[in-house]
Amino acid sequence: MLRQIAPERWIAQAPAKVNLFLRVVARRPDGYHDIETVMLKVPDLADSLEFTPRTGGQVALSVRLAYPQALGALAVPVTEDNLVLRAVRMLQTLSGCRKGVQICLTKRIPPAAGLGGGSSDAATTLIALNQLWGLSLPLESLLTLAAELGSDVPFFIANAACQLGTGRGEELHSVAVRASLPLVLARPHSGLSTPAVYRSCVPEPEGPTAQAVIELLGRAGLSPLARRLHNSLQPPAEQLNPEVVALLQRFQRQGVVTQQMTGSGSACFALCHSLRQARVVAGRLRASGVPWVWITSTAV
Ligand code: C5P
């Protein structure tokens, strides 16, 4: 996944994800929630990270917005608690490596959207520096570091396009996908804070399970799958952010197969009957002023 673009410069892509299914099972004493989630990578929606290794220990991160007109109001602050910088520091501490790096991050994935952008950037940094610094840490160690950085980070370390996540979301199993899923992703003007959404969710210990979704992803045909999609975080997100309700209603009015919020929002997706329908839906959303819209056909 690392591609060399100049004598001392490498580039890697950090894909987004959508949660096709997310059930909050229970609150935990450690402040997290046990969840059951089916996550799917969206390879054509990806941040890119350019790495220039440094022999001294200095670390520098710069961030550029690929679509300032759509993401302009959503600037990502570069502070020490940025997940990419935390990933670098963690690797330096664990390995005792004294090398540094300059990282240029180009954001295409909107933040505070439930699309996993920050988590994916951090995972990509771990994988890239493990290689560029010659650390040879095994996958298991990278997964452990990833889980410390955030519940969604291990998903982006593992190679599989679709995975079932349990525990906090960090215990992963690959899921085979045969269905082709034409999706429109959209994010309203305002985002949502993951801790705030989790705080106001109602766990569903007896709720629907991911099993049916996993089985149906292995077959063609979208309608049975659509009936099994679920997100326990959607009701609290709708309470916290009325733009989520409006966006889901917009999707519904277009006669898509189904619509749902991803992760803790505020981005939502429409599962469409065809890529052609996805293009029409996306065009209408853009025309009605939705600031960020993306079409992807996750044909796997
Ligand atoms: O793991 P991560 O740092 O991404 O989580 C951010 C916040 O989201 C946590 O501090 C917690 O409030 C909430 N969360 C949760 N249960 C999960 C994942 C996240 O309560 N499984």
Side-chain angles (χ1 to χ4, degrees):
M1 55 85 107
L2 254 186
R3 194 162 54 82
Q4 188 160 16
I5 51 171
E8 287 303 323
R9 221 154 95 220
W10 284 261
I11 191 164
Q13 302 301 318
K17 58 93 177 153
V18 290
N19 300 76
L20 295 174
F21 181 94
L22 194 164
R23 177 168 65 108
V24 177
V25 179
R27 272 188 223 290
R28 305 181 356 169
D30 63 3
Y32 284 90
H33 293 77
D34 279 324
I35 62 170
E36 192 186 26
T37 183
V38 178
M39 291 178 275
L40 181 72
K41 285 183 190 153
V42 183
D44 58 2
L45 170 59
D47 292 342
S48 45
L49 292 100
E50 283 183 29
F51 297 91
T52 308
R54 298 274 185 238
T55 42
Q58 318 93 302
V59 176
L61 171 66
S62 60
V63 181
R64 188 178 79 85
L65 299 178
Y67 310 113
Q69 61 292 19
L71 302 178
L74 319 172
V76 191
V78 182
T79 57
E80 272 302 307
D81 58 342
N82 178 288
L83 270 189
V84 168
L85 288 178
R86 284 183 48 208
V88 176
R89 301 285 181 216
M90 229 177 210
L91 268 185
Q92 284 179 323
T93 308
L94 179 93
S95 65
C97 177
R98 303 210 177 275
K99 292 177 191 165
V101 67
Q102 186 183 325
I103 303 175
C104 299
L105 167 60
T106 303
K107 292 294 301 174
R108 290 185 192 82
I109 308 171
L115 292 167
S119 302
S120 187
D121 297 341
T124 302
T125 302
L126 289 178
I127 296 169
L129 292 183
N130 188 39
Q131 192 175 325
L132 294 175
W133 286 350
L135 304 179
S136 305
L137 293 173
L139 185 65
E140 280 310 309
S141 309
L142 292 182
L143 285 169
T144 306
L145 287 180
E148 268 180 61
L149 285 167
S151 308
D152 284 347
V153 184
F155 167 73
F156 293 104
I157 297 277
N159 227 342
C162 186
Q163 295 169 75
L164 167 70
T166 55
R168 279 191 290 133
E170 87 287 21
E171 294 165 20
L172 298 163
H173 306 271
S174 298
V175 171
V177 179
R178 271 179 210 96
S180 165
L181 309 172
L183 299 172
V184 176
L185 315 180
R187 183 200 187 272
H189 292 277
S190 48
L192 273 165
S193 138
T194 302
V197 176
Y198 268 102
R199 254 195 317 276
S200 26
C201 78
V202 179
E204 303 179 286
E206 310 294 337
T209 73
Q211 198 47 44
V213 171
I214 292 170
E215 278 164 26
L216 290 163
L217 279 169
R219 302 187 211 151
L222 298 180
S223 298
L225 173 68
R227 284 194 288 276
R228 302 296 188 144
L229 301 189
H230 182 72
N231 187 348
S232 309
L233 297 177
Q234 192 173 303
E238 289 178 344
Q239 287 287 322
L240 291 165
N241 187 341
E243 283 197 312
V244 171
V245 184
L247 181 55
L248 289 166
Q249 283 171 350
R250 273 204 173 112
F251 276 141
Q252 195 180 10
R253 284 199 294 269
Q254 315 274 330
V256 300
V257 185
T258 193
Q259 60 285 320
Q260 186 168 287
M261 193 182 76
T262 173
S264 57
S266 61
C268 299
F269 64 87
L271 175 58
C272 296
H273 291 281
S274 63
L275 199 50
R276 203 167 139 191
Q277 186 191 30
R279 287 196 197 101
V280 174
V281 169
R284 290 198 180 133
L285 253 64
R286 286 191 188 110
S288 70
V290 175
W292 181 86
V293 182
W294 192 270
I295 305 169
T296 183
S297 169
T298 313
V300 209

